[in-house]
Structure formats: C-alpha cells, structure tokens
Amino acid sequence: MIAPSILAADFARLAEAADAVKGADWLHVDVMDGHFVPNLTLGLPVVEAILRSTEIPVDCHLMIDDPDRWAVGYAEAGAHNVTVHVEAAADPVKIAHDLRAAGARAGLSVKPRTPFEPYVELLRHYDTLLVMSVEPGFGGQEFTPAVLDKVRRARQLVDAGELRVLVEIDGGINSDTIEQAAEAGVDCFVAGSAVYGAEDAAKAVEALREQARRAM
C-alpha cells in the first residue's frame, strides 16, 4: 500500500494534490499542532475539506497534544484511519475504542526513539502500527534504518497471529529506501517528496508500489 503524504504538496491546491494521486491506497494527512511537534500544519476544518475532495481513504496522522480530546472528531468527519502517538495519549485504549465506534480504523504511532516492546499488549486494541522513521514534525528528513528492527518485530508478531495490525512506516520513504522497508515487513508506505516532488505523482505512486512488491 502507498499513502502519499499531502504534507509535501502545495497547500494552496490540496484538492488538486489529492486528485493527482488517484490510484493511491490511502491519502496521508499530517495534523501538527505546534506543541507536540514544533511545526504547525492544518486541523479538522481543512481535513474535512480534503475529505469532500477525494474518494481516496484518508489516513490522518495526529501529531498533537491531547489526542484523547481531539482524535474522535477526525473519525466522525469520515477519516478512514486515525493515528495517535503513544507518547501523547493519556488513555490509548479508550481512544482506540472511540475511534472504532466512530467508524474509523485506530492507529498507534511510535517515534524513532520510542521502544516497541512495551506497547505490544496495547496494540491488541489497534488496527494500525505507524513506525516513524524520522522525528515527527517536518517533511523531507532522511530515513532512519534503525527503526526497521521495530518493523521486523511487529511483522513477526503479526505473522504469528499475536497481533492483527497493519504495519505502516512514515519518513524518508523513496526509491532508495522503500525496498529495505518492504523487506523488513512494512505493509503501507507513507511517501511525501518522493511522490509530490515527481513530475507525475500518480506514476511515482505506481513505481514505488512496484518496488515494494519486488522486495517483498
């Protein structure tokens, strides 16, 4: 699965950016509040506008403080997958329940330096594990290969039937890094500059998908 990150698109033309990646599996939308991460991007009203502009399932990644209060609003708006950070959630089990009750998949994200093992039991309440391969907050950063150890462990648990999560990765995914991420066991690849920096975004999506398929 390829999820183009609209963070890398022209914010003055978000509807056109969504249309440019027809054929993508998900459309990844980064919500940053300037508190949990130092950057500020967009919020629920803009996400609602994006949802009205595309039929691609929207994958909301909430890099925000107090997701316990705000996350369910994105699910109620129609987001397909809503991911919160374990480092920010006060009651992640309740968040997962609320997101699912509102009709969305529930995703849990870990930063590059956040260990995976302490949250295995918690992930039994979730549908998606988002492994950050850069520090959250800004696009265009270099991929951190060390996080693939977390991906490999998650893949082992999924393949053994101990977890039922889709493994997603976000940060520095491009033609140079997608194959090693695929080999480690990633299911869904978030790609920003590699898609929206290409001359043809839709063709870039297909090229990345084919690379991942070959590596798998």
Side-chain angles (χ1 to χ4, degrees):
M1 296 173 61
I2 306 296
S5 174
I6 212 163
L7 179 66
D10 183 347
F11 271 27
R13 296 178 172 85
L14 291 180
E16 294 173 33
D19 190 60
V21 293
K22 283 181 178 176
D25 299 281
W26 288 356
L27 183 66
H28 190 81
V29 179
D30 288 308
V31 176
M32 306 182 194
D33 63 358
H35 297 284
F36 180 70
V37 293
N39 199 10
L40 182 67
T41 54
L42 46 81
L44 183 56
V46 177
V47 172
E48 290 173 334
I50 293 170
L51 285 161
R52 292 193 297 269
S53 302
T54 184
E55 294 182 359
I56 302 172
V58 170
D59 175 30
C60 281
H61 178 193
L62 306 185
M63 289 174 264
I64 63 173
D65 281 340
D66 200 9
D68 303 71
R69 176 181 179 185
W70 301 111
V72 72
Y74 292 84
E76 292 171 343
H80 176 71
N81 187 76
V82 179
T83 296
V84 301
H85 269 266
V86 70
E87 302 91 352
D91 189 344
V93 173
K94 184 177 186 301
I95 293 177
H97 178 271
D98 291 347
L99 289 173
R100 286 172 160 181
R105 294 171 57 99
L108 192 69
S109 184
V110 290
K111 293 181 180 182
R113 296 178 186 177
T114 299
F116 166 74
E117 295 291 349
Y119 305 108
V120 170
E121 288 300 318
L122 180 58
L123 280 164
R124 301 189 194 284
H125 300 274
Y126 279 82
D127 304 294
T128 306
L129 166 65
L130 175 57
V131 176
M132 292 298 298
S133 43
V134 299
E135 284 298 323
F138 294 93
Q141 299 180 62
E142 289 189 9
F143 181 78
T144 306
V147 305
L148 294 180
D149 287 340
K150 285 186 267 192
V151 171
R152 293 184 187 99
R153 181 57 181 146
R155 182 83 265 148
Q156 289 173 348
L157 293 172
V158 170
D159 290 347
E162 297 182 41
L163 282 179
R164 295 182 179 180
V165 292
L166 179 147
V167 182
E168 185 177 13
I169 196 163
D170 182 5
I173 294 296
N174 54 41
S175 60
D176 295 323
T177 59
I178 194 167
E179 291 183 18
Q180 57 185 303
E183 289 169 356
V186 171
D187 299 302
C188 182
F189 306 83
V190 177
S193 302
V195 171
Y196 284 110
E199 188 171 326
D200 187 318
K203 286 184 178 179
V205 168
E206 286 305 315
L208 289 170
R209 184 183 284 120
E210 184 56 32
Q211 270 195 279
R213 282 176 178 159
R214 288 200 304 267
M216 287 175 175

